[in-house]
């Protein structure tokens, strides 16, 4: 049995930063993640994707951010159970919990923090004839290694931040980049949309709006896509790679059976401290919901900080929380 103060379910960026905030308050953390490595979506889906909204970094690659977070929490010696899925939660008489994974790893903790991003997630697949037949043969739902797209013809589909950011990034790598979107406006950040329109006006990318990809074809590997406009016009375009970016379908898994208040696959929390309706269980990051919620990493960092201040009372019930600390050999201490 693993004994810790806080068990964090999810080792993505928000879960990792929670370790730092807990460490400042002398609370130990153990993290559980179904993925075989830390980093969550950043490492699994788009490790080389640039991120532009982290304070102090004009841009930082997703995996670099994860590496920096791991370096930041290293002094607090967190422990990890990776490649295992949380299956069972059992409250003890003293209020603490036993958490059991699908591999029968048992963690005893005083506080549970759910930082599972979108939970168990899978990409949303658009209705395109022939799509699944070319998965792994020119069709992928994420960009793990942009260098594999160097000097290739790439088509991206979607209108959110991922589609916009990858269009901007790949404009400097791929031989030809085409972005196809069903509308004439984007859901992503206005600044990113402006960059895409600028690239299109300069002739550095192809921007096709008010259109959908309806069919793909090829001989063993993707070679051509069929595009249907809202005016019913049909055109074809040769390409080497298609990357549909329509978001992820969230699935909470066993967490949905823990008696938590759920709203559209997200966990409702109190914004005072991001506590759930179940005492000693908190939810931070993309997995939670509340009025005005923004699914941004920096918002998850804020939530992690307030959560740890609240969790302190369960780990050290007889102590008063102090906000003052100094550094010894460059490390924070009380």
């Amino acid at each position: 049995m693993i004994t810790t103060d806080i068990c964090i379910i999810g080792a993505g960026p928000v879960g990792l930063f929670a370790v730092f905030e807990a460490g400042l308050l002398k609370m130990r953390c153990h993290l559980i993640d179904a993925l075989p490595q830390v980093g969550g979506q950043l490492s699994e889906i788009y490790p080389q994707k640039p991120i532009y909204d982290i304070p102090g970094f004009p841009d930082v690659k997703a995996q670099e951010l994860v590496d920096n977070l791991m370096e930041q929490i290293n002094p607090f010696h967190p422990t990890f159970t990776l490649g295992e899925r949380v299956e069972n939660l059992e409250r003890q008489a003293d209020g603490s919990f036993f958490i059991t994974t699908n591999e029968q790893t048992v963690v005893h903790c005083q506080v549970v923090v759910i930082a599972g991003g979108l939970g168990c997630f899978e990409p949303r697949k658009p209705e395109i004839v022939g799509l699944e037949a070319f998965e792994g043969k020119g069709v992928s739902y994420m960009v793990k290694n942009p260098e594999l797209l160097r000097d290739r013809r790439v088509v991206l589909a979607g209108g959110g931040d991922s589609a916009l950011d990858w269009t901007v990034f790949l404009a400097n790598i791929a031989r030809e980049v085409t972005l196809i979107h069903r509308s004439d406006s984007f859901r992503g950040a206005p600044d990113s949309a402006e960059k895409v329109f600028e690239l299109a006006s300069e002739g550095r990318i192809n921007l096709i709006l008010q259109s959908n990809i309806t069919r793909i074809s090829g001989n063993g590997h993707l070679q051509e896509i069929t595009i249907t406009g809202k005016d019913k016009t049909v055109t074809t375009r040769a390409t080497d790679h298609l990357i549909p970016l329509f978001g992820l379908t969230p699935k909470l898994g066993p967490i949905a059976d823990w008696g938590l208040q759920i709203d559209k696959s997200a966990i409702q929390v109190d914004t005072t401290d991001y506590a759930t309706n179940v005492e000693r269980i908190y939810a931070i990051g993309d997995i939670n919901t509340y009025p005005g919620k923004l699914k941004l990493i920096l918002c998850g960092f804020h939530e992690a900080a307030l959560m740890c201040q609240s969790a302190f009372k369960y780990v050290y019930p007889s102590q008063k929380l102090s906000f003052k600390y100094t550094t010894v050999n460059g490390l924070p201490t009380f």
Side-chain angles (χ1 to χ4, degrees):
M1 181 183 296
I2 298 168
T3 301
T4 190
D5 297 324
I6 300 176
C7 183
I8 301 174
I9 302 172
V14 173
L16 295 177
F17 186 70
V19 175
F20 175 77
E21 290 294 327
L24 294 178
L25 301 176
K26 299 288 188 178
M27 295 187 291
R28 298 167 298 153
C29 293
H30 183 82
L31 298 91
I32 302 175
D33 201 299
L35 296 175
Q37 74 282 323
V38 302
Q41 296 178 49
L42 298 192
S43 297
E44 179 70 8
I45 299 178
Y46 41 79
Q48 298 303 312
K49 179 180 180 292
I51 300 174
Y52 301 104
D53 58 357
I54 302 299
F57 291 90
D59 68 84
V60 58
K61 289 185 178 179
Q63 188 59 51
E64 183 182 354
L65 176 60
V66 172
D67 294 341
N68 289 345
L69 287 165
M70 287 295 289
E71 181 178 354
Q72 185 179 34
I73 67 177
N74 185 59
F76 301 115
H77 308 292
T79 52
F80 297 86
T81 296
L82 301 176
E84 297 184 24
R85 184 181 62 252
V86 170
E87 290 286 345
N88 188 52
L89 176 76
E90 182 181 353
R91 184 183 289 276
Q92 304 305 297
D94 63 356
S96 65
F97 297 97
F98 283 163
I99 292 177
T100 306
T101 73
N102 62 314
E103 297 293 334
Q104 301 306 305
T105 299
V106 179
V107 178
H108 181 216
C109 61
Q110 299 299 317
V111 172
V112 175
V113 176
I114 304 171
L118 295 175
C120 299
F121 51 86
E122 58 185 32
R124 290 192 178 97
K125 299 180 181 181
E127 294 184 5
I128 299 175
V129 177
L131 183 68
E132 294 187 355
F134 288 95
E135 290 177 348
K137 302 173 184 177
V139 172
S140 57
Y141 302 98
M142 60 191 73
V143 183
K144 287 192 174 183
N145 184 0
E147 284 301 315
L148 296 178
L149 303 177
R150 184 170 291 279
D151 299 325
R152 307 287 284 176
R153 296 171 299 182
V154 180
V155 172
L156 300 105
D161 285 313
S162 290
L164 293 171
D165 291 345
W166 277 122
T167 298
V168 174
F169 186 82
L170 292 174
N172 297 314
I173 293 179
R175 170 158 59 102
E176 179 183 272
V177 175
T178 301
L179 175 61
I180 300 174
H181 182 37
R182 63 187 177 186
S183 177
D184 56 6
S185 59
F186 293 98
R187 302 184 308 277
D191 181 67
S192 299
E194 183 178 346
K195 290 178 181 177
V196 166
F197 283 119
E198 288 178 358
L199 289 171
S201 66
E202 295 169 0
R204 295 178 57 192
I205 66 165
N206 303 307
L207 181 59
I208 303 176
L209 301 176
Q210 295 189 315
S211 300
N212 288 295
I213 300 171
T214 51
R215 179 184 294 272
I216 63 176
S217 58
N219 184 13
H221 193 279
L222 178 63
Q223 293 175 313
E224 187 177 79
I225 63 171
T226 300
I227 306 166
T228 302
K230 284 192 174 181
D231 59 1
K232 305 303 181 182
T233 59
V234 178
T235 57
T236 60
R237 177 174 291 271
T239 189
D240 303 308
H241 297 274
L242 169 63
I243 307 171
L245 296 169
F246 291 93
L248 302 169
T249 300
K251 294 182 179 180
L252 289 176
I255 292 174
D257 300 323
W258 290 1
L260 303 171
Q261 291 180 348
I262 307 294
D263 180 19
K264 297 178 181 178
S265 297
I267 302 171
Q268 294 181 338
V269 294
D270 181 347
T271 53
T272 302
D273 55 4
Y274 303 97
T276 69
N277 60 301
V278 178
E279 188 180 22
R280 299 192 185 216
I281 299 182
Y282 298 82
I284 58 177
D286 286 356
I287 205 164
N288 74 14
T289 186
Y290 51 84
K293 169 71 177 183
L294 290 176
K295 292 191 175 184
L296 300 175
I297 295 176
L298 62 90
C299 293
F301 290 167
H302 159 79
E303 294 163 12
L306 293 188
M307 174 277 297
C308 285
Q309 302 292 322
S310 176
F312 183 88
K313 63 179 176 288
Y314 297 118
V315 177
Y316 298 110
S318 62
Q319 295 187 27
K320 184 178 180 180
L321 179 62
S322 172
F323 294 92
K324 297 180 180 179
Y325 66 88
T326 58
T327 58
V328 176
N329 296 325
L331 300 178
T333 185
F334 290 90

